mmCIF file of all heavy atoms in Angstrom:
data_model
loop_
_atom_site.group_PDB
_atom_site.id
_atom_site.type_symbol
_atom_site.label_atom_id
_atom_site.label_comp_id
_atom_site.label_asym_id
_atom_site.label_seq_id
_atom_site.Cartn_x
_atom_site.Cartn_y
_atom_site.Cartn_z
ATOM 1 N N GLY A 1 15.748 0.936 2.678
ATOM 2 C CA GLY A 1 15.128 2.284 2.382
ATOM 3 C C GLY A 1 15.416 2.622 1.025
ATOM 4 O O GLY A 1 14.906 3.541 0.437
ATOM 5 N N GLY A 2 16.421 1.987 0.183
ATOM 6 C CA GLY A 2 16.651 2.240 -1.123
ATOM 7 C C GLY A 2 15.619 1.758 -2.181
ATOM 8 O O GLY A 2 14.591 1.141 -1.777
ATOM 9 N N SER A 3 15.934 2.073 -3.332
ATOM 10 C CA SER A 3 14.979 1.740 -4.401
ATOM 11 C C SER A 3 15.646 1.009 -5.661
ATOM 12 O O SER A 3 16.880 1.210 -5.804
ATOM 13 C CB SER A 3 14.366 2.967 -4.998
ATOM 14 O OG SER A 3 13.570 3.677 -3.944
ATOM 15 N N LEU A 4 14.968 0.223 -6.308
ATOM 16 C CA LEU A 4 15.391 -0.475 -7.520
ATOM 17 C C LEU A 4 14.143 -0.522 -8.442
ATOM 18 O O LEU A 4 13.056 -0.432 -8.073
ATOM 19 C CB LEU A 4 15.883 -1.866 -7.320
ATOM 20 C CG LEU A 4 17.215 -2.028 -6.625
ATOM 21 C CD1 LEU A 4 17.412 -3.488 -6.302
ATOM 22 C CD2 LEU A 4 18.376 -1.593 -7.558
ATOM 23 N N ARG A 5 14.535 -0.684 -9.712
ATOM 24 C CA ARG A 5 13.492 -0.848 -10.802
ATOM 25 C C ARG A 5 13.926 -1.994 -11.660
ATOM 26 O O ARG A 5 14.893 -2.064 -12.245
ATOM 27 C CB ARG A 5 13.328 0.343 -11.729
ATOM 28 C CG ARG A 5 12.117 0.078 -12.719
ATOM 29 C CD ARG A 5 12.014 1.225 -13.648
ATOM 30 N NE ARG A 5 12.972 1.175 -14.704
ATOM 31 C CZ ARG A 5 12.971 1.852 -15.966
ATOM 32 N NH1 ARG A 5 11.924 2.760 -16.086
ATOM 33 N NH2 ARG A 5 13.869 1.770 -16.767
ATOM 34 N N LEU A 6 13.088 -3.133 -11.429
ATOM 35 C CA LEU A 6 13.391 -4.254 -12.119
ATOM 36 C C LEU A 6 12.595 -4.138 -13.543
ATOM 37 O O LEU A 6 11.517 -3.610 -13.651
ATOM 38 C CB LEU A 6 12.765 -5.519 -11.354
ATOM 39 C CG LEU A 6 13.320 -5.645 -9.982
ATOM 40 C CD1 LEU A 6 12.765 -6.977 -9.421
ATOM 41 C CD2 LEU A 6 14.844 -5.621 -9.889
ATOM 42 N N SER A 7 13.218 -4.858 -14.488
ATOM 43 C CA SER A 7 12.558 -4.796 -15.739
ATOM 44 C C SER A 7 12.482 -6.262 -16.309
ATOM 45 O O SER A 7 13.340 -7.083 -15.987
ATOM 46 C CB SER A 7 13.381 -3.962 -16.774
ATOM 47 O OG SER A 7 13.522 -2.600 -16.419
ATOM 48 N N CYS A 8 11.480 -6.523 -17.083
ATOM 49 C CA CYS A 8 11.220 -7.829 -17.737
ATOM 50 C C CYS A 8 11.002 -7.609 -19.085
ATOM 51 O O CYS A 8 9.953 -7.106 -19.445
ATOM 52 C CB CYS A 8 10.123 -8.565 -16.940
ATOM 53 S SG CYS A 8 9.752 -10.142 -17.692
ATOM 54 N N ALA A 9 11.892 -7.951 -20.060
ATOM 55 C CA ALA A 9 11.723 -7.764 -21.394
ATOM 56 C C ALA A 9 11.200 -9.119 -22.060
ATOM 57 O O ALA A 9 11.758 -10.178 -21.838
ATOM 58 C CB ALA A 9 13.047 -7.370 -22.098
ATOM 59 N N ALA A 10 10.107 -9.046 -22.892
ATOM 60 C CA ALA A 10 9.597 -10.215 -23.445
ATOM 61 C C ALA A 10 9.823 -10.202 -24.911
ATOM 62 O O ALA A 10 9.797 -9.159 -25.606
ATOM 63 C CB ALA A 10 8.075 -10.186 -23.284
ATOM 64 N N SER A 11 10.062 -11.369 -25.415
ATOM 65 C CA SER A 11 10.290 -11.517 -26.893
ATOM 66 C C SER A 11 8.982 -11.652 -27.593
ATOM 67 O O SER A 11 7.892 -12.105 -26.878
ATOM 68 C CB SER A 11 11.244 -12.732 -27.177
ATOM 69 O OG SER A 11 10.606 -13.960 -26.687
ATOM 70 N N GLY A 12 8.924 -11.612 -28.863
ATOM 71 C CA GLY A 12 7.655 -11.781 -29.647
ATOM 72 C C GLY A 12 6.897 -10.635 -29.850
ATOM 73 O O GLY A 12 7.159 -9.487 -29.328
ATOM 74 N N ARG A 13 5.713 -10.749 -30.490
ATOM 75 C CA ARG A 13 4.854 -9.661 -30.871
ATOM 76 C C ARG A 13 3.552 -9.769 -30.245
ATOM 77 O O ARG A 13 2.630 -9.008 -30.613
ATOM 78 C CB ARG A 13 4.783 -9.570 -32.382
ATOM 79 C CG ARG A 13 6.008 -9.663 -33.206
ATOM 80 C CD ARG A 13 5.818 -9.685 -34.643
ATOM 81 N NE ARG A 13 5.377 -8.391 -35.265
ATOM 82 C CZ ARG A 13 5.096 -8.252 -36.503
ATOM 83 N NH1 ARG A 13 5.217 -9.221 -37.393
ATOM 84 N NH2 ARG A 13 4.482 -7.032 -36.866
ATOM 85 N N THR A 14 3.319 -10.653 -29.200
ATOM 86 C CA THR A 14 2.071 -10.803 -28.526
ATOM 87 C C THR A 14 2.059 -10.557 -27.137
ATOM 88 O O THR A 14 1.325 -11.138 -26.332
ATOM 89 C CB THR A 14 1.619 -12.219 -28.843
ATOM 90 O OG1 THR A 14 2.632 -13.236 -28.328
ATOM 91 C CG2 THR A 14 1.374 -12.607 -30.262
ATOM 92 N N PHE A 15 2.950 -9.646 -26.670
ATOM 93 C CA PHE A 15 3.235 -9.388 -25.318
ATOM 94 C C PHE A 15 1.895 -8.829 -24.693
ATOM 95 O O PHE A 15 1.628 -9.218 -23.503
ATOM 96 C CB PHE A 15 4.380 -8.386 -25.078
ATOM 97 C CG PHE A 15 4.430 -7.839 -23.704
ATOM 98 C CD1 PHE A 15 5.077 -8.725 -22.721
ATOM 99 C CD2 PHE A 15 4.039 -6.605 -23.408
ATOM 100 C CE1 PHE A 15 5.152 -8.270 -21.384
ATOM 101 C CE2 PHE A 15 4.227 -6.135 -22.015
ATOM 102 C CZ PHE A 15 4.751 -6.995 -21.119
ATOM 103 N N SER A 16 1.249 -8.132 -25.359
ATOM 104 C CA SER A 16 -0.015 -7.402 -24.739
ATOM 105 C C SER A 16 -1.074 -8.422 -24.429
ATOM 106 O O SER A 16 -1.997 -8.133 -23.661
ATOM 107 C CB SER A 16 -0.483 -6.450 -25.739
ATOM 108 O OG SER A 16 -0.993 -7.079 -27.006
ATOM 109 N N ARG A 17 -1.052 -9.651 -24.914
ATOM 110 C CA ARG A 17 -2.181 -10.555 -24.656
ATOM 111 C C ARG A 17 -1.915 -11.267 -23.296
ATOM 112 O O ARG A 17 -2.822 -12.015 -22.837
ATOM 113 C CB ARG A 17 -2.148 -11.601 -25.753
ATOM 114 C CG ARG A 17 -1.291 -12.807 -25.546
ATOM 115 C CD ARG A 17 -1.386 -13.804 -26.734
ATOM 116 N NE ARG A 17 -0.869 -15.052 -26.385
ATOM 117 C CZ ARG A 17 -0.543 -16.046 -27.421
ATOM 118 N NH1 ARG A 17 -0.718 -15.723 -28.692
ATOM 119 N NH2 ARG A 17 -0.036 -17.184 -27.007
ATOM 120 N N TYR A 18 -0.726 -11.124 -22.710
ATOM 121 C CA TYR A 18 -0.441 -11.778 -21.501
ATOM 122 C C TYR A 18 -0.639 -10.957 -20.118
ATOM 123 O O TYR A 18 -0.325 -9.782 -20.212
ATOM 124 C CB TYR A 18 1.120 -12.281 -21.391
ATOM 125 C CG TYR A 18 1.460 -13.329 -22.581
ATOM 126 C CD1 TYR A 18 2.147 -12.934 -23.765
ATOM 127 C CD2 TYR A 18 1.038 -14.587 -22.351
ATOM 128 C CE1 TYR A 18 2.394 -13.784 -24.654
ATOM 129 C CE2 TYR A 18 1.415 -15.488 -23.265
ATOM 130 C CZ TYR A 18 2.047 -15.072 -24.485
ATOM 131 O OH TYR A 18 2.388 -16.045 -25.451
ATOM 132 N N SER A 19 -1.090 -11.564 -19.210
ATOM 133 C CA SER A 19 -1.043 -11.025 -17.794
ATOM 134 C C SER A 19 0.345 -11.341 -17.338
ATOM 135 O O SER A 19 0.999 -12.325 -17.603
ATOM 136 C CB SER A 19 -2.006 -11.677 -16.886
ATOM 137 O OG SER A 19 -3.365 -11.302 -17.266
ATOM 138 N N MET A 20 1.001 -10.384 -16.546
ATOM 139 C CA MET A 20 2.307 -10.494 -16.110
ATOM 140 C C MET A 20 2.448 -10.407 -14.639
ATOM 141 O O MET A 20 1.679 -9.731 -13.949
ATOM 142 C CB MET A 20 3.153 -9.395 -16.802
ATOM 143 C CG MET A 20 3.260 -9.383 -18.261
ATOM 144 S SD MET A 20 3.905 -10.862 -18.996
ATOM 145 C CE MET A 20 5.660 -10.693 -18.407
ATOM 146 N N GLY A 21 3.268 -11.147 -14.152
ATOM 147 C CA GLY A 21 3.500 -11.127 -12.544
ATOM 148 C C GLY A 21 4.970 -11.238 -12.178
ATOM 149 O O GLY A 21 5.816 -11.501 -12.902
ATOM 150 N N TRP A 22 5.190 -10.812 -11.050
ATOM 151 C CA TRP A 22 6.493 -10.978 -10.306
ATOM 152 C C TRP A 22 6.414 -11.861 -9.157
ATOM 153 O O TRP A 22 5.339 -11.655 -8.258
ATOM 154 C CB TRP A 22 7.010 -9.576 -9.853
ATOM 155 C CG TRP A 22 7.543 -8.691 -11.025
ATOM 156 C CD1 TRP A 22 6.757 -7.638 -11.679
ATOM 157 C CD2 TRP A 22 8.737 -8.673 -11.694
ATOM 158 N NE1 TRP A 22 7.482 -7.071 -12.654
ATOM 159 C CE2 TRP A 22 8.734 -7.752 -12.648
ATOM 160 C CE3 TRP A 22 9.869 -9.351 -11.465
ATOM 161 C CZ2 TRP A 22 9.883 -7.350 -13.451
ATOM 162 C CZ3 TRP A 22 11.086 -9.156 -12.243
ATOM 163 C CH2 TRP A 22 10.869 -8.287 -13.314
ATOM 164 N N PHE A 23 7.293 -12.707 -9.080
ATOM 165 C CA PHE A 23 7.273 -13.676 -7.859
ATOM 166 C C PHE A 23 8.641 -13.744 -7.232
ATOM 167 O O PHE A 23 9.639 -13.444 -7.920
ATOM 168 C CB PHE A 23 6.949 -15.079 -8.436
ATOM 169 C CG PHE A 23 5.413 -15.115 -8.845
ATOM 170 C CD1 PHE A 23 5.133 -14.668 -10.164
ATOM 171 C CD2 PHE A 23 4.464 -15.379 -8.157
ATOM 172 C CE1 PHE A 23 3.946 -14.770 -10.676
ATOM 173 C CE2 PHE A 23 3.044 -15.600 -8.578
ATOM 174 C CZ PHE A 23 2.875 -15.154 -10.009
ATOM 175 N N ARG A 24 8.785 -14.332 -6.054
ATOM 176 C CA ARG A 24 10.074 -14.563 -5.427
ATOM 177 C C ARG A 24 9.896 -15.804 -4.499
ATOM 178 O O ARG A 24 8.813 -16.125 -4.072
ATOM 179 C CB ARG A 24 10.538 -13.324 -4.570
ATOM 180 C CG ARG A 24 9.522 -12.987 -3.366
ATOM 181 C CD ARG A 24 9.839 -11.669 -2.769
ATOM 182 N NE ARG A 24 8.976 -11.425 -1.579
ATOM 183 C CZ ARG A 24 8.959 -10.303 -0.937
ATOM 184 N NH1 ARG A 24 9.759 -9.176 -1.334
ATOM 185 N NH2 ARG A 24 8.150 -10.078 0.082
ATOM 186 N N PRO A 25 10.989 -16.542 -4.333
ATOM 187 C CA PRO A 25 10.992 -17.557 -3.399
ATOM 188 C C PRO A 25 10.711 -17.246 -1.989
ATOM 189 O O PRO A 25 11.103 -16.149 -1.576
ATOM 190 C CB PRO A 25 12.371 -18.323 -3.618
ATOM 191 C CG PRO A 25 12.954 -17.749 -4.836
ATOM 192 C CD PRO A 25 12.296 -16.306 -5.055
ATOM 193 N N ALA A 26 9.981 -18.127 -1.328
ATOM 194 C CA ALA A 26 9.756 -18.001 0.087
ATOM 195 C C ALA A 26 9.758 -19.260 0.817
ATOM 196 O O ALA A 26 9.542 -20.242 0.285
ATOM 197 C CB ALA A 26 8.356 -17.231 0.275
ATOM 198 N N PRO A 27 10.039 -19.256 2.117
ATOM 199 C CA PRO A 27 10.061 -20.547 2.831
ATOM 200 C C PRO A 27 8.819 -21.312 2.668
ATOM 201 O O PRO A 27 7.815 -20.713 2.952
ATOM 202 C CB PRO A 27 10.309 -20.109 4.351
ATOM 203 C CG PRO A 27 11.076 -18.788 4.150
ATOM 204 C CD PRO A 27 10.502 -18.132 2.883
ATOM 205 N N GLY A 28 8.860 -22.509 2.376
ATOM 206 C CA GLY A 28 7.685 -23.474 2.225
ATOM 207 C C GLY A 28 6.966 -23.259 0.950
ATOM 208 O O GLY A 28 5.898 -23.783 0.865
ATOM 209 N N LYS A 29 7.364 -22.372 0.024
ATOM 210 C CA LYS A 29 6.676 -22.085 -1.126
ATOM 211 C C LYS A 29 7.589 -22.284 -2.375
ATOM 212 O O LYS A 29 8.827 -21.899 -2.280
ATOM 213 C CB LYS A 29 6.069 -20.636 -1.111
ATOM 214 C CG LYS A 29 5.145 -20.356 -0.048
ATOM 215 C CD LYS A 29 4.637 -19.003 -0.065
ATOM 216 C CE LYS A 29 3.582 -18.757 1.114
ATOM 217 N NZ LYS A 29 3.205 -17.409 1.085
ATOM 218 N N GLU A 30 7.175 -22.612 -3.479
ATOM 219 C CA GLU A 30 7.889 -22.635 -4.708
ATOM 220 C C GLU A 30 8.071 -21.146 -5.137
ATOM 221 O O GLU A 30 9.176 -20.722 -5.440
ATOM 222 C CB GLU A 30 7.161 -23.406 -5.825
ATOM 223 C CG GLU A 30 7.203 -24.833 -5.671
ATOM 224 C CD GLU A 30 8.458 -25.422 -5.962
ATOM 225 O OE1 GLU A 30 9.299 -24.966 -6.835
ATOM 226 O OE2 GLU A 30 8.958 -26.348 -5.152
ATOM 227 N N ARG A 31 6.991 -20.369 -5.180
ATOM 228 C CA ARG A 31 7.047 -18.952 -5.478
ATOM 229 C C ARG A 31 6.020 -18.146 -4.575
ATOM 230 O O ARG A 31 4.886 -18.650 -4.432
ATOM 231 C CB ARG A 31 6.720 -18.732 -6.975
ATOM 232 C CG ARG A 31 7.727 -19.418 -7.862
ATOM 233 C CD ARG A 31 8.971 -18.655 -8.063
ATOM 234 N NE ARG A 31 9.827 -19.187 -9.050
ATOM 235 C CZ ARG A 31 10.732 -20.112 -8.855
ATOM 236 N NH1 ARG A 31 10.906 -20.770 -7.713
ATOM 237 N NH2 ARG A 31 11.497 -20.445 -10.002
ATOM 238 N N GLU A 32 6.479 -17.064 -4.200
ATOM 239 C CA GLU A 32 5.515 -16.137 -3.533
ATOM 240 C C GLU A 32 5.036 -15.113 -4.354
ATOM 241 O O GLU A 32 6.027 -14.368 -5.009
ATOM 242 C CB GLU A 32 6.309 -15.621 -2.235
ATOM 243 C CG GLU A 32 5.383 -14.631 -1.454
ATOM 244 C CD GLU A 32 6.127 -13.994 -0.288
ATOM 245 O OE1 GLU A 32 7.241 -13.444 -0.543
ATOM 246 O OE2 GLU A 32 5.681 -14.040 0.878
#
């Protein structure tokens, strides 16, 4: 029931050109 805020800091000056995603491992998958 709790909360967290994850942050992902990117280096460089072209961050805005990227689509960004969050993934996590899952059984039978490299990334979910």
Side-chain angles (χ1 to χ4, degrees):
S3 299
L4 286 173
R5 188 183 75 168
L6 307 185
S7 298
C8 175
S11 64
R13 307 175 71 181
T14 58
F15 173 73
S16 62
R17 86 183 198 197
Y18 296 104
S19 293
M20 303 296 297
W22 288 95
F23 298 83
R24 64 191 183 189
K29 301 178 182 178
E30 286 289 322
R31 297 286 188 272
E32 178 185 53

